[in-house]
Structures are given as structure tokens and as C-alpha cells.
Amino acid sequence: MHTTDVTDTSSHEVVIAGGGPTGLMLASELALAGVDVAIVERRADQTLAGSRAGGLHARTLEELDQRGIVERFLAEGQVAQRCGFASTKLDLSDFPSRHACTLGLWQNRIEHLLALRAEELGVHFHRERSVEDFVQDEGGVTIKTSEGLVLRAAYLVGCDGGRSIVRKRAGIAFPGWDATESNLLAEVEMSEPPPLGIHRTAQGTYSFGKRDYEIRNGEILYKDGGPIRVMVPEASASARGEPTLDELRAALIATCGTDYGLHSPTWISRFTDAARQAASYRDRRVLLAGDAAHVHSPVGGQGLNTGVQDAMNLGWKLAQVVQGVSPEALLDTYHAERHPVGARVLRYAMAGATLLRQDDGIGALRDTLGELLVLDEPRKRLAGDLSGLGIRYDLGPGHPQLGRRMPDLDLITDDGPCRVFSLLHDGRAVLLDLGGGTAGNASLARSSGRLRCLSARPVGPWELPVIGTVTPPTGVLIRPDGYVAWVGEGSARGLDEALRTWCGVHAA
């Protein structure tokens, strides 16, 4: 892993606090755009990552595909054409996406692959350090880290988790709901085999699984040997601090009547159903992403995916501001677009955690919702949100495609066939002329360093998740994160404003 030399001071255009999935994805996006970016990470190596999260949702896979790296993840994971809401499995097989699935892959492998990507792009790492404090001024941020290192940057992004020092030092409020239950999650060795699978009792839900498994016909099949991944409820929701092996042992005995001879923990962590969201994702030159901006129950596996998608939304915008392509006002769209998504994630996580509680009333509600969610319309609506495929940013009225992720259509161009996502590999915006005469503008050609312009003919129907088949536009402006910022319907009306707002370029 590339690490910067140990010095007392260092300067970068952007400093990221935290090298988890969100920080790694954001750093890679910035480096892809040519920004000098550094990560401050307390761990000495990415192999020390735990495995709290265990999957990538459909939209996250699409975004990795947009950068040409999704195959690295698919090669190591297990595909299931569904996503989960509490105990209900929602079918994704009829969603119009090349990645209409959830990929089972533990967080330590996700982080490893994202770290390799960051290394390939030349991201700097200040390891075995953490951000302790910072001071903002008109020209940038001076950041104090542990071990006496002082960093100077134009912007600081807190990707340092739910207890974010960056958020606290910035004074950004973190309103929400306190925990009503707490759970321990760990990977340990056990001398006695536990009952694998998910178990629900009056004391709460507990489970045993293994790191190595495969999905066959929709069922999880665990392989022999290896450590046990255990989740068990705690007696109190008020537990704090780093959990210990003795606390895990006591929780197992209270719930299961035995600790199964547990020993040799790889890692132990604690999570609750607390739900909180930063009041603002930005304070001048300081921004928040991932768990630093929103925390909630892990039910549904939304946390890691929401963080990675935060990074995709923020990365190109921050790069354009740092490089002087766009004004600082572009950063305000990060909060405007991602805060509502985070609020919706909190709502679903709270609902999902509630539905897993074991009492007769909740059981009746769970059964009732299960009957509704086999119907196409409610299933597609909920699965669209949970998978990320149905997200729409509010970019105003217009064609149904506006503000939604661009489908990965097959295209016929003058240079031969291609697909949409392949056009986004280098992280630039794309202006597609699909018959409206929008891509031949001479001024756009002079701006081709920031914008790719081409004429193409789509093959097949134009279909959107949840919405269905729509009338094909005559042109689209696709942002670097894959969302459509302008739709042409027979003319170039509105294109100049869209180019100025999102790309920092002008049509003639």
C-alpha cells in the first residue's frame, strides 16, 4: 500500500478522514478527476477491516460498473436477485438493469478491492493516524492529526464513521432517535458447532454464519470449517465503548444458554438501532459522507451502500470546485440531493428493525406487509428504493428520465457498438445526441476535456426501474455519477443552463 513519507506538515487539495468504503470510493473519484487527495486512516493496513457489512446493492454495482471495476467485485461475491426488507425478500429479477441483484461480499473484501483501486489512482495514505481537530479559514482547512502531523487542504471530508470527530468539531447537529436495542457482532472460533442461520426469540434475534458460503437456488449454503460470524442481542441498549470477549460470552449465555466454547476473536463490534442524520452535510470547507452523515440499524444492509453512493455524488462535484471549473454553489447540491436519500434510508431501517421484533402485534403487521409486498406495484416501489435503482434527484419537472440514473443501454455509434456505462469509465460527463442535433456544437467540442459528446442510436426499449418503458429522449446530458441532468425532447432547450450548472461549460 502506498504511504506518504512521515513529515511534520503536508498539503493536499482534499483530505479525507477515514479510509472505509466511503472514504476509499471518494478518494478514488477525486483522484480519477486529477485531484491531489489524501486519506487519514487509523489502521495500519486495509486487511484489518472487519466484516460488519456483507453486500452490495444493485445501484452500487452499477456505479462500480460505470467506472469499469465491477467485475473485480462480482468475481469474489455471491449473486442473489433480491433485496431484503426485514424478513421479506423482494424479487429484483424483472428490474431493467444488468445488475438487478444483491452481491453477497463481506466488507473486508469490499474494502480491499476499493483500496487497490485507490492505490492504482495514486491516492496518498497517512496511516496509523486520525484527525483530532481542524480550523477553517477563507483559503482552506488546517488539520491536526495524531502523531504530530499537520495537513493543509482546500477541503476536508469526514468519512470517519458514526462517532465522527469531523462532524463534532464542525459543530454540525446530529438529530435523531436514541437506541432501543443493542447487538454484538463478531467473528470468532467456537469449539462447539452452533446452529447456523437466523433465530428469533423473545429475547431478540440472533444468528450464526460463516465467512465462506455460496448461494444456490436462493439459499445460503455454508462451507465446512472456518470462523463463526455471530450476532447476538445485549440485555441493555445503553452499552458503550469497545465490546469485549467477556461481554460477547455473557450475551450468548443469556440468549442461548451457552457460549459454544467461543475463543480467538478476529473482531468484535457493537451496533444499535439508533437513527441519526447530520442536519447539514456541509459546513463551508468541511463535508460529511457515509456514517459520519447518517447512522441507523444495519437491517437491510443500507449503510455501506448509501455511503458509497454519497461518495459518487460528491466526488465529481468537489473535483470541479477544487479545479475552478464550477463555483462553490455546486457543493450545495450534494446536501440537497443526498440528504433526502439518507432520510429515506433512516425511515426504512427503522421500519425494518421494528418489524423484526418478536411480539404478536408486530408479527401480524409483518405478515400483512408480506402479503402486500408480493404485489408488483408495492414490491417494485420498495425494492427500487432499497436497491438504489429507483432514486430520483429533484431536478425539476420534465421527462421521467430527468434526475434518474441513466440506463445502461446498448448504443450504435459511428465508432461501433458500445454501452452507456462504458462511456463513464473516465469520470467525465457525457452528452448523447440521440437524434436532436445536440452533440455537434463547436463550443462543446472545444470543451471535450471535461465533456464527451457523441451521436448514438439506442438499441431496444428505454425502460426505467419502477416507472417502466418511457418515450426515448432525443438527447441526454449524463453527469459523471450516471444521473441525467438534462433531457432533450426534440430541441436543445435548457441545455445551456444544464451545462453551466453541472459541467461548467456553455453551449453556443
Side-chain angles (χ1 to χ4, degrees):
M1 184 64 66
H2 173 70
T3 306
T4 56
D5 294 333
V6 178
T7 58
D8 292 330
T9 61
S10 184
S11 296
H12 305 281
E13 290 176 307
V14 176
V15 167
I16 297 171
T22 301
L24 291 167
M25 190 70 184
L26 178 59
S28 294
E29 285 295 287
L30 289 165
L32 181 65
V35 172
D36 175 13
V37 55
I39 293 175
V40 178
E41 169 54 41
R42 60 181 175 78
R43 293 170 296 177
D45 190 88
Q46 220 66 39
T47 59
L48 300 176
S51 294
R52 284 183 57 170
L56 296 172
H57 290 315
R59 181 56 188 155
T60 307
L61 292 171
E62 284 194 338
E63 291 185 331
L64 294 171
D65 197 355
Q66 289 170 188
R67 295 299 181 259
I69 59 173
V70 71
E71 294 300 331
R72 306 180 187 186
F73 297 83
L74 294 174
E76 295 200 20
Q78 296 284 331
V79 170
Q81 285 191 304
R82 63 189 187 191
C83 62
F85 179 63
S87 58
T88 301
K89 304 303 180 185
L90 304 173
D91 183 22
L92 293 171
S93 62
D94 58 350
F95 273 55
S97 169
R98 297 180 197 269
H99 304 290
C101 64
T102 299
L103 183 72
L105 185 62
W106 294 122
Q107 181 173 335
N108 60 339
R109 297 307 302 163
I110 294 171
E111 282 200 30
H112 172 71
L113 294 171
L114 289 174
L116 288 178
R117 165 73 167 175
E119 180 182 272
E120 291 168 0
L121 293 170
V123 172
H124 302 278
F125 287 84
H126 296 289
R127 289 197 174 275
E128 298 184 86
R129 292 182 171 91
S130 57
V131 171
E132 294 184 341
D133 205 353
F134 60 86
V135 176
Q136 297 192 64
D137 57 53
E138 290 186 2
V141 189
T142 301
I143 304 149
K144 178 185 177 182
T145 79
S146 56
E147 307 300 324
L149 178 66
V150 176
L151 301 173
R152 179 70 177 171
Y155 290 89
L156 169 65
V157 186
C159 300
D160 50 343
R163 300 183 182 90
S164 172
I165 292 296
V166 173
R167 185 189 65 240
K168 293 174 182 177
R169 293 291 188 268
I172 297 175
F174 203 42
W177 296 267
D178 292 333
T180 63
E181 59 183 42
S182 179
N183 296 267
L184 294 177
L185 185 65
E187 190 173 88
V188 298
E189 299 286 346
M190 289 183 167
S191 57
E192 302 172 24
L196 299 179
I198 299 174
H199 310 276
R200 297 181 175 89
T201 69
Q203 289 76 31
T205 301
Y206 67 95
S207 66
F208 299 99
K210 292 184 178 182
R211 181 189 302 168
D212 296 325
Y213 67 92
E214 63 177 310
I215 297 176
R216 189 181 302 167
N217 296 325
E219 298 298 323
I220 297 177
L221 301 177
Y222 294 105
K223 299 179 181 179
D224 294 336
I228 301 295
R229 179 184 167 96
V230 54
M231 184 191 76
V232 63
E234 294 188 274
S236 170
S238 61
R240 295 291 185 271
E242 294 296 324
T244 66
L245 187 62
D246 286 340
E247 287 178 307
L248 178 60
R249 180 176 289 110
L252 277 170
I253 291 173
T255 302
C256 306
T258 178
D259 66 1
Y260 297 99
L262 85 163
H263 62 91
S264 305
T266 305
W267 52 267
I268 308 174
S269 65
R270 172 179 282 123
F271 70 88
T272 73
D273 62 346
R276 296 186 176 277
Q277 185 178 24
S280 175
Y281 283 15
R282 179 191 175 204
D283 174 44
R284 294 169 290 166
R285 291 182 173 272
V286 175
L287 300 108
L288 305 175
D291 288 353
H294 39 74
V295 296
H296 48 80
S297 164
V299 171
Q302 293 291 307
L304 183 154
N305 289 272
T306 305
V308 169
Q309 292 171 38
D310 286 345
M312 282 291 288
N313 185 284
L314 175 60
W316 63 277
K317 296 175 180 178
L318 185 53
Q320 289 184 184
V321 172
V322 167
Q323 294 168 338
V325 172
S326 297
E328 281 196 15
L330 183 63
L331 294 179
D332 294 333
T333 69
Y334 169 59
H335 172 92
E337 292 178 353
R338 293 305 297 174
H339 194 275
V341 172
R344 191 160 57 246
V345 166
L346 258 67
R347 186 174 72 240
Y348 285 139
M350 292 172 68
T354 300
L355 288 170
L356 290 178
R357 294 176 184 169
Q358 298 302 303
D359 66 62
D360 292 342
I362 295 297
L365 177 60
R366 187 168 53 243
D367 292 344
T368 301
L369 283 176
E371 293 174 357
L372 291 174
L373 290 175
V374 298
L375 303 176
D376 275 352
E377 187 171 346
R379 171 184 65 85
K380 288 182 177 180
R381 173 66 181 272
L382 185 56
D385 281 349
L386 294 175
S387 67
L389 294 175
I391 290 173
R392 179 187 180 272
Y393 298 137
D394 185 6
L395 303 186
H399 191 279
Q401 179 65 75
L402 185 64
R404 290 186 167 89
R405 48 52 107 195
M406 178 70 183
D408 189 21
L409 301 170
D410 289 311
L411 301 174
I412 301 298
T413 75
D414 291 341
D415 296 325
C418 68
R419 58 189 184 96
V420 168
F421 285 4
S422 68
L423 302 175
L424 294 166
H425 285 181
D426 61 3
R428 288 187 296 164
V430 175
L431 180 62
L432 275 182
D433 180 356
L434 303 169
T438 56
N441 192 294
S443 66
L444 294 183
R446 290 195 295 271
S447 304
S448 60
R450 296 196 297 270
L451 181 71
R452 174 177 294 184
C453 309
L454 74 159
S455 299
R457 177 171 58 84
V459 178
W462 197 296
E463 190 174 3
L464 302 177
V466 184
I467 300 298
T469 302
V470 300
T471 302
T474 57
V476 288
L477 175 63
I478 309 169
R479 306 188 321 189
D481 58 358
Y483 287 83
V484 173
W486 171 83
V487 177
E489 298 182 82
S491 76
R493 185 174 58 185
L495 177 59
D496 182 63
E497 181 181 357
L499 288 167
R500 183 172 59 252
T501 299
W502 303 109
C503 305
V505 299
H506 298 263

